[in-house]
Amino acid sequence: MKIGWAHVDVTPDRPVILRGQFHVRISQYVNDPLTCTILALEQDDHQAIMVSCDRVNMPYPLEARVREAVAKRLPGFDPRNLLMNATHTHTAAEVEEGIYPDQGPDVMPPTEYAEFFTARVTEAIAQAWESRAPGGVSWGYGHAVVGHNRRLCYQGGMAKMYGKSNQSDFSHVEGYEDHGVDLLFTWDLNETLTGVIVNVACPSQVTEGESYVSADFWHEAREEIHRRLGDDVQIFAQCAAAGDQSPHLLLEQRSEELMRRRRGLTERQEIGRRIANAVEGVLPWAREEIVTHPAFAHVVKDVNLPTRLVTRADYDEAAAQVAHWEAQPADPSDIYAFSVRYVMLRRYGKVMTRYQTQQEDCLYQTEVHALRIGDVAIATNPFELFLDYGMRMKARSQAVQTFVVQLTGTGKNTMSGYLPTARAVAAKSYGAEVADNRVGPEAGQVLVDQTLDLINSLWETPAAQ
């Protein structure tokens, strides 16, 4: 197997709009750098370039722009074999116009940052591809408590994202938590560690509401892994299915905070310590089973998913919300209130438009990648995918380990959104509302089945043996 790595800083050098809240935030300073890490793989007739980005999402226009640039830069590489995933930090630059109101000449426009991002990432992709050299891989599985289900349920059947657990009507946490850490290590022919894929079921959003540029907890995780294993080791972050997960504790907050104080660590540093422990704990055993010619294959498929229908009740509720926000003062000098009004009008206006056009727009096309690397499968999707779907994929996959990677590219639309479970839709709240997603539980099962067909075909195809 030929393996190439690269790493690039994509931190803006001017104030930017930060994506991730219902109100606009302008970066005041850089807390820590935004980066992209690139892993290039080639063996026989199969190839893949994977890019992990400190971003909240990976919108289709941005991915398409990078692919177009890569096609020109690397004529021997099929750009459809490029896949880009986001870590879901809420403190990275916006790349799409119109998500928030324009912030004037002192703030870098989203399109300007997108151009800056594309140029830097394209060169790093070329560097990774052109530097690929014979090496080996190994894999392993560890544990780190990072993500927690963020939907609390109450007597009467309703749920609330980030609800309070000390209410008298609190019933239970809605869903499962996955504390597994899937790890894929790469080595040169001298059996020197060159990099590691770290797959964790949690978005990177500890300090999600701040007004500074930051990679969130992945910055601390990288620093701690580098401290232990060396600065030359590349760290490729993946967010597994985690649409209903977050690093925020809704139970046992006081005891957790007490232990962090005793250790002298911030919440982000504590998470970094746990992830580094998982990597370091698995490494000695992974080193014993390095494979230089693993079974390797990469398939890409456009999957059509049924869209979530907007009911008349959904339409009426959205219309009421539009009327409410239209009645609010529109004073541009009040940046917070003005931007919330702008975002909410856009949010609910899109629901009304969907209701009017859904008979002609009943399918959502998305690109799904499946890779086999030895006993490991990597499977992508563009959604903030609720954990249950990832568990279904892992349970039925023929791979020993299945790395589910959410927020990888998008459909042929600019919004993928959440993909909630049926119980979440029934219990309502943010993430399960029709405004938050283009597809619902029916599509979730189609995605699971289609993804599994792709994964399992790689264990049956002679070319992958």
Side-chain angles (χ1 to χ4, degrees), residues 11-30:
T11 308
D13 59 3
R14 295 170 52 197
V16 291
I17 296 172
L18 301 171
R19 176 74 178 268
Q21 302 292 341
F22 284 139
H23 63 279
V24 72
R25 291 168 297 141
I26 307 302
S27 62
Q28 303 301 309
Y29 59 93
V30 174

Side-chain angles (χ1 to χ4, degrees), residues 361-400:
D361 187 23
C362 58
L363 291 176
Y364 182 91
Q365 186 182 88
T366 187
E367 187 178 277
V368 174
H369 293 253
L371 291 85
R372 179 180 180 180
I373 308 172
D375 290 337
V376 166
I378 297 176
T380 72
N381 70 85
F383 304 102
E384 291 188 65
L385 187 70
F386 274 42
L387 182 64
D388 284 8
Y389 297 115
M391 294 297 98
R392 294 177 199 176
M393 293 177 188
K394 290 187 174 188
R396 293 167 51 198
S397 170
Q398 290 189 34
V400 175

Side-chain angles (χ1 to χ4, degrees), residues 198-212:
V198 186
N199 182 282
V200 177
C202 187
S204 185
Q205 56 183 102
V206 173
T207 46
E208 58 183 315
E210 300 295 336
S211 294
Y212 51 63

Side-chain angles (χ1 to χ4, degrees), residues 66-277:
V66 173
R67 281 182 168 178
E68 182 180 0
V70 168
K72 295 176 181 176
R73 184 68 174 75
L74 300 175
F77 177 78
D78 181 354
R80 192 164 161 84
N81 288 327
L82 173 70
L83 51 155
M84 306 177 70
N85 69 274
T87 60
H88 201 66
T89 175
H90 280 217
T91 43
E94 179 57 78
V95 294
E96 296 180 272
E97 297 288 352
I99 304 298
Y100 298 103
D102 179 74
Q103 295 301 301
D106 293 333
V107 177
M108 181 185 287
T111 50
E112 183 180 335
Y113 179 76
E115 291 172 2
F116 164 83
F117 177 96
T118 299
R120 291 214 167 186
V121 171
T122 299
E123 282 307 305
I125 288 170
Q127 178 186 341
W129 185 251
E130 292 168 352
S131 69
R132 65 197 188 282
V137 295
S138 60
W139 43 91
Y141 181 76
H143 294 87
V145 178
V146 180
H148 309 275
N149 190 285
R150 58 181 174 173
R151 291 175 52 87
L152 299 188
C153 297
Y154 301 89
Q155 296 172 19
M158 293 295 100
K160 186 175 182 180
M161 184 174 284
Y162 297 134
K164 294 183 178 180
S165 57
N166 59 357
Q167 295 180 192
S168 61
D169 61 343
F170 169 63
S171 174
H172 60 281
V173 180
E174 183 177 80
Y176 185 57
E177 297 176 353
D178 178 11
H179 302 307
V181 180
D182 283 299
L183 299 162
L184 181 76
F185 300 88
T186 66
W187 313 80
D188 66 19
L189 291 182
N190 295 319
E191 298 190 355
T192 299
L193 180 67
T194 57
V196 56
I197 296 177
V198 186
N199 182 282
V200 177
C202 187
S204 185
Q205 56 183 102
V206 173
T207 46
E208 58 183 315
E210 300 295 336
S211 294
Y212 51 63
V213 169
S214 173
D216 209 276
F217 69 68
W218 276 112
H219 174 70
E220 283 75 11
R222 292 172 188 136
E223 282 198 323
E224 184 63 16
I225 295 170
H226 283 148
R227 188 183 69 80
R228 302 185 191 191
L229 304 183
D231 290 338
D232 293 336
V233 175
Q234 301 279 5
I235 302 161
F236 193 103
Q238 291 178 336
C239 184
D244 51 349
Q245 310 291 302
S246 93
H248 301 303
L249 271 174
L250 303 183
L251 299 164
E252 305 293 350
Q253 298 102 320
R254 290 182 295 175
S255 55
E256 179 77 7
E257 184 181 359
L258 173 62
M259 291 307 299
R260 286 200 305 271
R261 285 206 310 268
R262 289 174 175 173
R263 291 190 178 106
L265 300 175
T266 66
E267 187 175 355
R268 285 169 46 160
Q269 288 171 332
E270 172 62 19
I271 289 174
R273 182 185 72 86
R274 294 177 185 181
I275 292 174
N277 284 347

